[in-house]
Amino acid sequence: PFTNLPLPYGYDAMEPYIDEKTMRLHHDRHLQTYIDNLNKILEANPDLQKLTLKELIRSVPRLPYSIQTGILNNAGGVYNHRLYFELLINPSGRQPVGKLAEAIARDFGSVENFYQAFKEAALSVFGSGYAWLVSYQGSLKIVTTPNQNTTLGMDLCPVITIDVWEHAYYL
Ligand code: MN3
């Protein structure tokens, strides 16, 4: 069975941008729900238990129709949330530096332009989903995915993601 990995920082590490209560609820309850739902499906389909999270997501088109949506949403939910939490860092007093700063200047013109484009992309997601800053064929791009769809299979490398919609209303 999959288990919830501890956050690589304290629950209050993103204050004042994301408060401790939201981090606890998001990680301990919301992500846990995806894990519990995924484990329930795997319990009923023991031959899938040997697959990794990525393998499960990639195998969706070949799975029995009755579990495709459940695997897509819940394995995707676990995969996306793990990336989201791993990639987060408190931005206080920080600016992108080094190669990332150079790539942002090259592909977006400036950090401010990037922030604006990233925000607009996130706000354009209808319902829930993600906006991603990705590296694709040597360039930085912004892409969005609906629901708990992942960027797996898109031949790109996620740099950071915005988890859109649901958590703004939690508390
Ligand atoms: Mn979420």
Side-chain angles (χ1 to χ4, degrees):
F2 286 93
T3 55
N4 204 352
L5 306 174
L7 286 178
Y9 38 71
Y11 289 97
D12 61 352
M14 300 304 146
E15 297 261 9
Y17 303 98
I18 306 174
D19 63 81
E20 179 180 342
K21 273 188 184 171
T22 301
M23 291 294 281
R24 283 189 185 279
L25 204 60
H26 195 186
H27 179 272
D28 294 0
R29 301 260 299 277
H30 192 87
L31 171 52
Q32 187 67 51
T33 302
Y34 286 114
I35 291 171
D36 293 344
N37 289 340
L38 177 60
N39 285 336
K40 262 182 231 161
I41 299 171
L42 296 179
E43 204 179 311
N45 296 271
D47 49 326
L48 299 180
Q49 287 176 356
K50 62 181 183 296
L51 300 182
T52 66
L53 213 42
K54 281 186 183 180
E55 288 168 343
L56 278 169
I57 294 164
R58 289 198 161 117
S59 71
V60 163
R62 298 184 298 278
L63 295 177
Y65 185 72
S66 61
I67 60 169
Q68 283 187 2
T69 303
I71 293 287
L72 187 69
N73 289 343
N74 293 294
V78 177
Y79 181 80
N80 283 338
H81 279 91
R82 284 186 174 175
L83 264 182
Y84 167 81
F85 286 117
E86 280 167 20
L87 297 174
L88 269 187
I89 190 168
N90 191 310
S92 292
R94 294 177 207 262
Q95 286 287 320
V97 294
K99 284 186 176 175
L100 178 61
E102 286 167 25
I104 287 174
R106 184 192 64 211
D107 296 331
F108 297 100
S110 69
V111 172
E112 286 312 313
N113 285 355
F114 160 64
Y115 287 159
Q116 187 61 31
F118 203 28
K119 181 176 172 179
E120 280 172 16
L123 289 171
S124 79
V125 174
F126 184 78
S128 68
Y130 293 80
W132 306 84
L133 174 67
V134 302
S135 172
Y136 175 71
Q137 295 184 347
S139 296
L140 292 177
K141 304 267 187 214
I142 293 169
V143 299
T144 63
T145 52
N147 305 312
Q148 294 300 332
N149 289 10
T150 70
T151 58
L152 286 174
M154 292 182 180
D155 190 28
L156 44 75
C157 175
V159 178
I160 193 166
T161 185
I162 296 176
D163 179 355
V164 178
W165 186 56
E166 56 199 1
H167 315 299
Y169 303 97
Y170 266 4
L171 299 171

